[in-house]
Amino acid sequence: MPLVIAMDGPSGSGKSSASKGVARALGLRYLDTGAMYRAMTWWMLNEGVPVEDAAAVAARAAEPVIESGTDPDGPTITVGGADVSAPIRTRGVTNAVSAVSSVPEVRARLVELQREIIGAGGIVVEGRDIGTVVAPDAAVKVYLTASEEARAARRARELAADPGASVTVTQAEQARRDRLDSTRKASPLARAGDAVEIDSTELSLDEVIEAVVRLAKERD
């Protein structure tokens, strides 16, 4: 069976960098499922859909054409053929994505797309419900976490161009998102029962990658 590595965890835990590094080390593809939810959110905002209105979001969830590239050296995300890799990372999208991703019709649509991509061969998949919902049979499941302070500092660095994205503000926004993602009815953020938890607070990126690669080789 093709190797599937599920990398779950909250925002700022280092999932993206670690997942891409693991994919490169093992010669696997890479999928950022969070980018797909961000792309859906960006489209809703761009279309003027009130994202806090679940019925309005559900009614249009089938419309956007979202495509994800799986090259860990150059992952892509497009909506209707347009590259949205930059606009989906803005604070506006970040603060709206939990509302959009909690809509069951959105999750059903994107989980179907994610499973199609996973089915094409060996891959590292990062997200919040990979080991529990999207790929529960994944050979390797990792739940990557870190302290709230470390996660907020990392996220603030990513948003350095935004003058309003201080560590304090980012931590408050992140805590709100964690709460929403963990308590939603549809596929909440949760650690799979058979996932290995890795706390990246005091670890370097290389150390996290090495730990996951070691797990994959042990399961091989």
Side-chain angles (χ1 to χ4, degrees), residues 20 41 63 78 81 96 109 111 122 126 140 165 180 186 195 212 215:
K20 285 183 279 192
T41 302
E63 294 183 41
T78 63
R109 166 95 192 284
V111 167
E126 65 153 299
V140 178
L180 292 172
V212 179
L215 282 172

Side-chain angles (χ1 to χ4, degrees), residues 12-93:
S13 58
K15 294 191 308 296
S16 294
S17 297
S19 295
K20 285 183 279 192
V22 171
R24 292 188 198 103
L26 295 175
L28 301 174
R29 297 177 303 135
Y30 160 76
L31 177 62
D32 178 359
T33 64
M36 299 174 78
Y37 287 102
R38 286 175 171 274
M40 178 72 79
T41 302
W42 173 86
W43 185 88
M44 293 288 175
L45 292 171
N46 202 48
E47 289 290 308
V49 178
V51 295
E52 298 296 337
D53 184 340
V57 171
R60 304 196 65 183
E63 294 183 41
V65 178
I66 298 172
E67 296 183 312
S68 296
T70 57
D71 180 353
D73 290 321
T76 58
I77 182 75
T78 63
V79 178
D83 177 12
V84 295
S85 55
I88 66 171
R89 301 296 174 183
T90 61
R91 283 176 68 205
V93 171

Side-chain angles (χ1 to χ4, degrees), residues 19-210:
S19 295
K20 285 183 279 192
V22 171
R24 292 188 198 103
L26 295 175
L28 301 174
R29 297 177 303 135
Y30 160 76
L31 177 62
D32 178 359
T33 64
M36 299 174 78
Y37 287 102
R38 286 175 171 274
M40 178 72 79
T41 302
W42 173 86
W43 185 88
M44 293 288 175
L45 292 171
N46 202 48
E47 289 290 308
V49 178
V51 295
E52 298 296 337
D53 184 340
V57 171
R60 304 196 65 183
E63 294 183 41
V65 178
I66 298 172
E67 296 183 312
S68 296
T70 57
D71 180 353
D73 290 321
T76 58
I77 182 75
T78 63
V79 178
D83 177 12
V84 295
S85 55
I88 66 171
R89 301 296 174 183
T90 61
R91 283 176 68 205
V93 171
T94 296
N95 289 333
V97 69
S98 289
V100 173
S101 63
S102 68
V103 177
E105 289 81 359
V106 169
R107 301 204 74 82
R109 166 95 192 284
L110 295 185
V111 167
E112 181 180 7
L113 292 177
Q114 291 157 16
R115 286 175 174 165
E116 288 177 3
I117 295 170
I118 292 169
I123 193 166
V124 180
V125 189
E126 65 153 299
R128 282 168 163 69
D129 63 345
I130 310 307
T132 55
V133 175
V134 179
D137 296 327
V140 178
K141 298 180 186 178
V142 173
Y143 189 82
L144 189 61
T145 188
S147 69
E148 288 187 12
E149 294 78 11
R151 294 193 293 116
R154 292 168 185 170
R155 182 62 181 153
R157 285 196 294 271
E158 292 173 0
L159 296 169
D162 186 337
S166 67
V167 173
T168 301
V169 170
T170 301
Q171 186 168 343
E173 293 176 345
Q174 188 170 262
R176 172 181 173 275
R177 188 177 172 199
D178 287 346
R179 183 174 65 257
L180 292 172
D181 289 348
S182 299
T183 58
R184 68 186 178 217
K185 293 182 179 179
S187 305
L189 166 65
R191 173 186 170 184
D194 53 349
V196 175
E197 183 169 327
I198 297 176
D199 187 329
S200 67
T201 303
E202 302 295 336
L203 299 179
S204 68
L205 174 59
D206 285 343
E207 288 173 328
V208 174
I209 293 171
E210 289 171 6

